[in-house]
Amino acid sequence: MTGSIPQEATIALAIQGGGAHGAFAWGVLDRLLEQGVRPARLCGVSSGALCALVVAQGLARGGPEAARAGLRTLWQEIGRAHDAGPLSRGPLERWLFGWDLSNNLAWASMEAAGRLFSPAQLNPFGHNPLRAVVRDLFDADALRLPGAPRLAVGATDVETGQAVIFDNETITVDALLASACVPFVFPAVGIAGRHYWDGGYSGNPPLAPLMHPRPPDDLLLIRVQPRTRPGVPRDSAEILNRVNEIAFQTALDAELSMLPAGVRLHSYAADKALADLPITSKLNPEPDFLRELFRAGRAALAVGAEPEGEAVAADGEAERLRAEISSLRHDLRGALSPALLRADALSRHENGGVRAQAEGILASLNAARARLG
């Protein structure tokens, strides 16, 4: 157990999503479990949801060592799925371009196709290489054991823009894939007549499910989305990526500002590990890259949690933070407006390819605006 967390404390664990960058969370979790940390409640989205799943199952079945083994299997299988796919690269290409996929021929072809066609057009049957990995690891019976930690997996309802939470009783393979459904890569996942995208759009991760029936003593937050990114984005991909990161961070900051007084917050951030990585690296699950992020996650815990405060700020400080977040939301809505107007105009273009690309961009911008409120 980490020195700053009392043995008898009720611990909640929240894990951000970030594609392949979620391997950083694997490293942090491995070190926490090694130290004997046993969270009673877990919440995650996207890759964070998969990490939370195998930790909850492992703790229910065999304790921290079983959870560590489950995490190792999860990320090994994700790496193997990549090696068998079209984006697998040779040693020379990795040496020349590092973890950047943008120079890969298969990636460039997929990116070009994505500008002209929607994921539903390119992938009408919704094939997802993660499905086999998740199906093999998912253990519904473990989640329903009496001593199982309480698990919450977040996804975003495409039509309402609101967060939808799946719990121990309602989590399925489709719910986990919905939580990790990147809109520009996969068609929306349908469940019981509703359709879902990545949970990060509505809360990365949502903290409210961890606050009931009473707030935990300690909240452990694993961040795999950069809070700061040096430099100004130049091309459209960089701009959209940064807009998404800011929208995700704004939603999390709003929830953090409203944490009940007395909750001790421990934050483990990947900013240093991700600072020099290209945008495409979050979609690069090469085994060597995943292991590098795993080691960075373990090292981050060795250094210690960021001092976000031994307890949540007092009422006056919380009020100041709420005002600051409100101002940030206003600024972001203003920044999004010109892009929304332009995308809306292009969504009615006579060229079908332009329309499809504009509609996809418009959907993401609307999701970001809906989350900003």
Side-chain angles (χ1 to χ4, degrees), residues 104-140:
N104 178 267
L105 181 60
W107 170 267
S109 300
M110 292 171 62
E111 191 176 38
R115 294 194 186 103
L116 299 174
F117 305 101
S118 72
Q121 291 171 310
L122 291 171
N123 186 7
F125 299 107
H127 173 69
N128 188 330
L130 269 180
R131 179 173 290 278
V133 174
V134 175
R135 184 187 61 231
D136 291 344
L137 290 174
F138 180 53
D139 184 355

Side-chain angles (χ1 to χ4, degrees), residues 28-119:
V28 174
L29 290 166
D30 187 74
R31 192 66 179 257
L32 286 170
L33 292 163
E34 185 179 63
Q35 294 178 351
V37 172
R38 295 184 68 117
R41 310 167 196 168
L42 302 95
C43 185
V45 298
S46 193
S47 58
L50 300 181
C51 286
L53 170 76
V54 294
V55 169
Q57 292 177 170
L59 290 175
R61 289 290 192 190
E65 287 306 311
R68 294 178 70 195
L71 285 166
R72 185 165 54 251
T73 299
L74 167 67
W75 288 100
Q76 285 176 346
E77 291 304 313
I78 288 174
R80 288 193 185 104
H82 167 80
D83 282 346
L87 294 179
S88 180
R89 304 183 301 161
L92 178 60
E93 195 173 359
R94 288 197 295 271
W95 180 77
L96 287 172
F97 304 117
W99 307 125
D100 190 355
L101 294 177
S102 61
N103 296 289
N104 178 267
L105 181 60
W107 170 267
S109 300
M110 292 171 62
E111 191 176 38
R115 294 194 186 103
L116 299 174
F117 305 101
S118 72

Side-chain angles (χ1 to χ4, degrees), residues 342-368:
R342 182 60 176 154
D344 182 63
L346 288 173
S347 69
R348 296 186 291 274
H349 197 278
E350 62 183 15
N351 184 292
V354 172
R355 280 200 312 274
Q357 184 181 358
E359 286 168 358
I361 294 172
L362 187 61
S364 288
L365 291 173
N366 276 322

